[in-house]
């Protein structure tokens, strides 16, 4: 029984560590967008996203056009964090400059450098998928 309790404590600590790292990455990328620092925001993207957009200018243009609430959030807050066989994901509620709320799911990828987003899914309003 002791080994089981020890295992649960280790698993919980790991889950909490991953959650903290994921949220730090997302918050840092949102901060970079607010400062129009697309080079820094691009560094937080997964290698596959970086290959897809090739450079920070292309990436920044895509975010400005496709995810304006991410580029210019008035405020953001973390909702539910989940982890399954495909990896961790984080729901984020973002309020845009017009006061509208948007729910996004950041799907993360484990790399030696941390947990970059490998995709972001925008949900239709007002649905929260969890």
């Amino acid at each position: 029984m002791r080994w089981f309790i020890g295992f649960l404590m280790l698993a919980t600590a790991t889950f909490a560590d991953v959650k903290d790292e994921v949220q730090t990455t997302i918050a840092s990328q949102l901060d970079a967008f607010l400062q129009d620092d697309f080079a820094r925001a691009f560094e937080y993207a997964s290698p596959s996203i970086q290959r897809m957009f090739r450079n920070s200018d292309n990436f920044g243009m895509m975010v400005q056009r496709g995810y304006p609430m991410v580029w210019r959030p008035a405020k953001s807050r973390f909702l539910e964090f989940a982890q399954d066989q495909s990896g961790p994901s984080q729901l984020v509620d973002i309020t845009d400059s017009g006061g509208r709320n948007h729910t996004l799911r950041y799907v993360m990828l484990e790399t030696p450098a941390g947990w970059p987003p490998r995709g972001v899914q925008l949900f239709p309003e007002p649905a929260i998928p969890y």
Side-chain angles (χ1 to χ4, degrees):
M1 184 67 152
R2 280 191 185 150
W3 67 269
F4 182 71
I5 293 170
F7 173 77
L8 285 177
M9 289 173 62
L10 179 61
T12 302
T14 302
F15 182 86
D17 291 344
V18 171
K19 179 180 176 181
D20 288 346
E21 289 179 36
V22 163
Q23 290 180 353
T24 297
T25 297
I26 294 169
S28 297
Q29 189 179 53
L30 289 173
D31 181 61
F33 283 128
L34 274 172
Q35 296 176 35
D36 284 334
D37 189 345
F38 297 122
R40 186 165 60 101
F42 189 60
E43 290 175 9
Y44 290 106
S46 69
S48 61
I49 298 292
Q50 291 176 350
R51 282 191 300 275
M52 183 185 310
F53 291 100
R54 294 194 215 139
N55 62 56
S56 60
D57 291 334
N58 292 339
F59 180 67
M61 190 180 317
M62 178 277 297
V63 171
Q64 286 174 308
R65 291 180 179 167
Y67 298 89
M69 75 293 293
V70 171
W71 173 50
R72 284 290 180 265
K75 65 180 179 178
S76 64
R77 69 184 173 102
F78 294 113
L79 302 173
E80 187 168 336
F81 176 80
Q83 194 163 0
D84 61 22
Q85 67 275 9
S86 64
S89 63
Q90 175 67 60
L91 284 181
V92 182
D93 178 56
I94 294 181
T95 305
D96 65 23
S97 59
R100 289 182 24 173
N101 283 50
H102 307 270
T103 302
L104 296 94
R105 176 183 288 136
Y106 282 73
V107 180
M108 310 304 280
L109 174 70
E110 183 176 18
T111 70
W115 291 95
R118 62 180 169 99
V120 176
Q121 178 183 12
L122 176 61
F123 290 96
E125 292 182 55
I128 295 180
Y130 283 116

